[in-house]
Amino acid sequence: MSRYSLKPLPNRTDLFEVAVGWDPGLSTYFAIVFGAPEIACEPKVLLWRGRSYCEIYGVAELLDIVREFAEVAPGLQCRLDADRSAEPTS
């Protein structure tokens, strides 16, 4: 499994983190958006896609989901493709 932490967009001060990656066990990419934590609390999950089998099979679809929340670094698509190739479906 891979996981990358993306920087929320500057206008999304309500967010703590956006995480993406490849889950070979579920044969899907995933995206999790965490809200800003309240004092002494864990960040709340605001969006979680890719938690069922083959839900997000393409990198382009994954990146379309997260672009409204986070900055997508150049080369991320290639890394995610490589992760899927390195850890194929279980």
Side-chain angles (χ1 to χ4, degrees):
M1 178 184 277
S2 65
R3 184 181 189 280
Y4 300 96
S5 180
L6 307 182
K7 182 179 177 183
L9 294 171
N11 65 319
R12 295 306 305 256
T13 57
D14 60 319
L15 301 180
F16 174 71
E17 178 189 19
V18 177
V20 297
W22 168 249
D23 183 341
L26 290 176
S27 299
T28 187
Y29 289 104
F30 65 87
I32 308 172
V33 178
F34 296 94
E38 296 182 21
I39 297 172
C41 293
E42 292 291 320
K44 187 176 190 175
V45 174
L46 302 177
L47 174 83
W48 187 357
R49 297 279 313 272
R51 54 184 175 172
S52 61
Y53 186 73
C54 285
E55 185 178 341
I56 305 172
Y57 202 70
V59 178
E61 180 184 355
L62 173 71
L63 297 181
D64 284 346
I65 292 167
V66 299
R67 277 196 174 95
E68 72 177 273
F69 303 105
E71 297 174 7
V72 176
L76 179 61
Q77 183 168 351
C78 291
R79 284 184 284 182
L80 288 163
D81 279 332
D83 294 341
R84 185 168 126 190
S85 295
E87 287 189 83
T89 303
S90 299

